[in-house]
Amino acid sequence: MLTPARNDMLTRVGPGTPMGDLLRRYWQPIAGASELETMPIKQVRLMGEDLVLYRDRGGRYGLIDRHCPHRRADMAYGWVEEKGIRCSYHGWLVDETGRCLEQPYEDTTNPKPSKAGCETKAYPVKECAGLLFAYLGPLPAPELPVWEPFTWRNGFREIVLADVPCNFFQCQENSIDPVHFEWMHDNWGSRLRGGDANAAPKHLKLKFEAFEHGFTYKRVREGQSEEDRYWTVGRVALWPNGFYLGSHFEWRVPVDDENTLSVAWFFVRVPKGREPYVQERVPTWKSPIRDENGRWITSHVINQDIVAWVGQGRIADRTKEHLRSSDIGITLMRNRFFEEFEAMAAGKEPGGIIRSANAAQCIALPNMAREINTEGLTRAEFDKDPILRQRLREFRHHVGQPAEVRREFVEAMGIA
Ligand code: FES
Ligand SMILES: [Fe+2]
């Protein structure tokens, strides 16, 4: 249970708030690079700031104030040029550093027009593994961490986005919540398919451990032992707002205090014998979360998680909760945020930020599935494993995978 003031500290994300300032110190995934191929400008709202993301014709990414520095027209309705983005109202041209390059009428009438003071807000953007990451914090920006899976080869990758109408922190608490798998995905999942028993293997034992880039959680369920990778390796609640499950990442990126962009990145290595597979472009698609009657969609794994997140309210009221031993990880994670807020208030840099370009190149995280993703499996081995077999058959994480993405996947995997 938290006081209202402590709940605010964990959930408010605007500039100048403890959480908003902390999250701004880390690169945040905000879009798929492939989204900008047909329409090079995308309006985005991030941590309460209205911005436009764009790729200019010279291939540079920019993330600037949604409003033009001249008289605040909407830059999302401008156009991109060789260098920069131009406002459609009076033609001012701005580049990715926020500099104003042209003011057409002034440039015509005044031999030496000064553009000083007409800079607009601009944040750095970097592409990695098909994702676009933005950094909204104080400069110099730290290195963008290249997590090891981003360097894996011979795999099919896809990016799935979902607009989730609740605060990001309750989504992130789900990253350190092993017991919900048993109830939400197994028992409820079975009931949604017509089952009528709580037959999922029970959790018998949990362990949570902190490390530089977050926490691992480990578990033993009925039928498993401490030899199992679920206990020896576990899964990662990635600091500060991600989740890493061995073959995919999920991030809960705050749009504002009451909305979150769910960004998920998936990797499936092609079966042995299908190499070399080179994916030229990582597809990005948006998953719906409501059905035609306005009810939350419950058929897919992350859609089920979203039902839990939004069900807690726009901002979960943590003054009314009752934490128990299943929630030890949640308390650990909250306490780490509170400690980091204090450290930042004392002028220190929060943990897990990488300043060495060398160190950032390939960062390994605890991973239960490294060999299957690096060495690969034969088709026969895929077929023997119930989860992997399922992965080839259909995309189980989010509803709504577009047919063309499925086609590309089928072709990559050789599963006609
Ligand atoms: S408002 Fe953008 S150029 Fe005038
Ligand atoms: Fe889940």
Side-chain angles (χ1 to χ4, degrees):
M1 200 173 95
L2 294 179
T3 60
R6 304 265 282 178
N7 201 28
D8 278 357
M9 286 173 83
L10 292 176
T11 54
R12 304 291 168 183
V13 295
T17 59
M19 183 60 92
D21 284 354
L22 181 136
L23 292 175
R24 281 171 171 77
R25 299 296 187 101
Y26 300 84
W27 288 90
Q28 298 288 341
I30 61 164
S34 52
E35 287 183 89
L36 298 182
E37 280 165 7
T38 38
M39 176 59 198
I41 303 175
K42 185 186 178 186
Q43 59 204 57
V44 294
R45 188 165 156 78
L46 276 177
M47 298 189 257
E49 298 184 46
D50 287 310
L51 305 165
V52 291
L53 170 68
Y54 70 87
R55 183 176 195 265
D56 71 18
R57 294 214 182 133
R60 283 170 288 263
Y61 290 107
L63 179 65
I64 62 161
D65 196 328
R66 174 93 183 257
H67 296 287
C68 175
H70 178 215
R71 278 170 42 214
R72 305 199 44 81
D74 187 349
M75 296 300 283
Y77 290 84
W79 63 83
V80 294
E81 299 197 350
E82 185 55 29
K83 185 158 179 41
I85 179 169
R86 194 181 290 278
C87 177
S88 54
Y89 203 7
H90 314 95
W92 283 28
L93 181 71
V94 171
D95 76 5
E96 77 284 358
T97 68
R99 257 187 328 154
C100 185
L101 304 180
E102 290 179 18
Q103 298 174 351
Y105 181 73
E106 312 313 310
D107 296 341
T108 305
T109 56
N110 182 343
K112 276 197 178 158
S114 167
K115 298 177 180 71
C118 295
E119 297 76 22
T120 196
K121 178 158 77 179
Y123 297 120
V125 176
K126 283 189 181 179
E127 194 269 338
C128 185
L131 285 165
L132 295 180
F133 290 86
Y135 175 77
L136 278 65
L139 298 172
E143 296 296 327
L144 173 70
V146 179
W147 308 113
E148 180 201 347
F150 295 164
T151 69
W152 289 343
R153 296 206 297 221
N154 289 308
F156 185 87
R157 299 161 294 176
E158 67 195 282
I159 295 163
V160 187
L161 308 176
D163 292 322
V164 183
C166 70
N167 181 260
F168 91 101
F169 198 74
Q170 58 218 52
C171 314
Q172 180 59 7
E173 287 178 327
N174 183 223
S175 309
I176 192 158
D177 184 354
V179 172
H180 92 281
F181 282 87
E182 175 186 331
W183 288 95
M184 171 153 263
H185 302 306
D186 293 348
N187 286 329
W188 187 40
S190 147
R191 278 163 194 269
L192 289 167
R193 293 187 297 272
D196 195 22
N198 300 331
K202 283 192 181 121
H203 281 74
L204 303 175
K205 197 171 170 180
L206 301 176
K207 183 161 73 172
F208 301 92
E209 290 167 335
F211 74 113
E212 187 187 3
H213 298 297
F215 299 89
T216 53
Y217 69 72
K218 301 175 174 182
R219 58 179 165 212
V220 177
R221 293 177 69 174
E222 285 173 339
Q224 294 177 335
S225 76
E226 293 185 12
E227 309 303 309
D228 208 286
R229 286 176 169 209
Y230 283 92
W231 185 261
T232 57
V233 182
R235 282 178 169 163
V236 175
L238 186 63
W239 184 261
N241 57 328
F243 189 21
Y244 175 55
L245 299 95
S247 302
H248 87 265
F249 288 90
E250 298 171 25
W251 288 271
R252 301 69 162 87
V253 181
V255 170
D256 52 33
D257 291 350
E258 298 195 348
N259 293 281
T260 299
L261 177 67
S262 166
V263 179
W265 182 96
F266 297 90
F267 182 95
V268 182
R269 195 195 183 282
V270 298
K272 277 187 179 161
R274 299 288 303 170
E275 312 92 339
Y277 170 71
V278 179
Q279 190 186 30
E280 300 292 346
R281 165 183 185 275
V282 182
T284 307
W285 52 279
K286 175 75 77 78
S287 173
I289 64 167
R290 284 184 196 272
D291 67 17
E292 60 283 2
N293 300 316
R295 284 195 42 99
W296 308 118
I297 294 170
T298 58
S299 53
H300 288 60
V301 178
I302 298 176
N303 291 86
Q304 294 172 350
D305 291 319
I306 291 172
V307 173
W309 308 342
V310 295
Q312 290 172 286
R314 289 308 277 249
I315 301 180
D317 183 352
R318 295 179 179 76
T319 66
K320 296 202 174 98
E321 63 189 8
H322 300 91
L323 298 188
R324 288 295 179 268
S325 58
S326 62
D327 310 304
I328 286 170
I330 303 245
T331 303
L332 277 176
M333 188 170 76
R334 290 180 188 173
N335 287 345
R336 179 144 163 200
F337 279 103
F338 290 127
E339 284 159 21
E340 294 285 17
F341 296 157
E342 274 181 34
M344 281 182 69
K348 296 202 186 95
E349 182 157 88
I353 284 173
I354 301 161
R355 294 280 170 194
S356 144
N358 232 359
Q361 264 173 28
C362 179
I363 303 166
L365 294 167
N367 183 352
M368 295 194 296
R370 181 171 284 111
E371 297 79 46
I372 66 167
N373 284 308
T374 53
E375 309 302 315
L377 295 174
T378 63
R379 263 308 297 284
E381 286 165 328
F382 263 99
D383 289 339
K384 257 190 272 162
D385 182 300
I387 293 173
L388 295 172
R389 186 168 62 215
Q390 189 66 33
R391 290 190 84 173
L392 293 192
R393 208 172 291 153
E394 58 177 330
F395 188 78
R396 291 289 308 140
H397 294 282
H398 269 290
V399 73
Q401 188 190 48
E404 66 269 21
V405 178
R406 174 71 192 167
R407 256 197 314 276
E408 286 170 33
F409 178 80
V410 162
E411 206 168 294
M413 298 295 142
I415 50 172

